[in-house]
Amino acid sequence: MITKIPPHRRDGKSSFKDLINYCLGVTGHAKDSVLHVGTKNLNSPPEKAYLEMEGLSYENVRCKNPVLHFILSWRAEESPTNEQVDEAVNIALKELDLQDCQALWALQSDTENLHVHVAVNRISPETFRAIRPAGGWTKKALERAARKIEISQGWEIERSGRYEVNSSGQILEKKEIATPEISQIARDIEKHTGMESAERQIKQEAAKILESASNWEELHRELAARGIGFERRGNGAVLKLGDKAVKLSHISRQSSFSKLEQR
């Protein structure tokens, strides 16, 4: 299973209505590609859920972006039941510390991989405070959730990323991947915000892919599945996550563009 957090809109804004319409197939893709819809902590029907989410978000005037959007994607040969989809989303929400928040999700079939889009309101219905998912380590929590989902539902264990599953079924953090070298600027950003920097996210997600990919098609596919872009720049290339770019050669000595071309 692969998890993904789509990049924020370029205008810096977010909208419960736009996201939920996308999840439900009103915009972006065909409605018949939506196979299942689930909700949590909502009283409204799915098509009106955005109104309830917006109403709660107005209780916190300081939070500029209460919307969280993430994706859980199964392998092409895996076909979860509706019950398994609901279980997977609830496991992910718990890992993110958002299990008490308003959420809507929709299983979609418009790609070769069944995947579920999840829209969450980060404003607590009890305290009206904005919850920072997993204390700011959102991608890390989603990866851990993916391993728990794979174990619970019997799917093939994804071998890349920050976590591995041992023979006893324990989820262990890969220390060498979890703590990559990052620049002083990125460390300062993390210290100031308490959140993972884009540079750390790129290095954690891309290092193993760059080492293991056997051809360009596989490299682009695996990076894209994690929301990372590959862009030529001068005589080399960079990896991009949102507006942040990291040179290939800064990820590892074996991942420069010339080394990839040779391989």
Side-chain angles (χ1 to χ4, degrees), residues 9 14 31 37 55 110 116-117 119 121 124 127 138 148 169 175 211 215 217 239 243 254 257 263:
R9 287 169 33 166
S14 58
K31 254 189 176 179
V37 175
D110 54 347
V116 59
H117 286 267
N121 184 359
S124 167
T127 66
T138 311
K148 289 188 175 183
K175 296 298 183 181
E211 290 176 12
N215 54 60
E217 182 182 1
L239 297 183
D243 295 329
Q254 300 304 314
F257 185 74
R263 196 169 82 224

Side-chain angles (χ1 to χ4, degrees), residues 5 13 54 104 114 129 142 179 188 190 208 214:
I5 301 175
K13 299 179 181 178
E54 287 176 350
L104 176 146
L114 289 178
R129 292 181 178 179
L142 283 175
T179 55
D188 290 342
E190 292 185 345
K208 286 293 182 182
S214 58

Side-chain angles (χ1 to χ4, degrees), residues 22 28 38 43 71-72 77 84-85 96-97 108 128 213 220 243:
Y22 181 81
N43 297 312
I71 302 168
L72 305 175
E77 66 275 13
Q84 286 175 318
V85 172
L96 293 166
D97 301 322
Q108 297 179 2
F128 304 137
H220 283 287
D243 295 329

Side-chain angles (χ1 to χ4, degrees), residues 47-117:
E47 62 273 12
K48 297 294 183 181
Y50 73 90
L51 293 172
E52 195 173 337
M53 288 181 164
E54 287 176 350
L56 177 59
S57 69
Y58 293 150
E59 298 292 338
N60 185 317
V61 296
R62 299 180 63 184
C63 181
K64 296 181 179 179
N65 186 13
V67 182
L68 175 67
H69 177 202
F70 66 88
I71 302 168
L72 305 175
S73 179
W74 284 262
R75 291 173 178 267
E77 66 275 13
E78 296 172 347
S79 298
T81 64
N82 292 346
E83 291 75 17
Q84 286 175 318
V85 172
D86 294 344
E87 179 191 36
V89 172
N90 278 288
I91 289 173
L93 291 173
K94 186 174 181 179
E95 288 297 313
L96 293 166
D97 301 322
L98 298 172
Q99 64 270 24
D100 297 323
C101 292
Q102 298 171 330
L104 176 146
W105 57 91
L107 180 69
Q108 297 179 2
S109 62
D110 54 347
T111 67
E112 64 179 16
N113 302 79
L114 289 178
H115 57 281
V116 59
H117 286 267

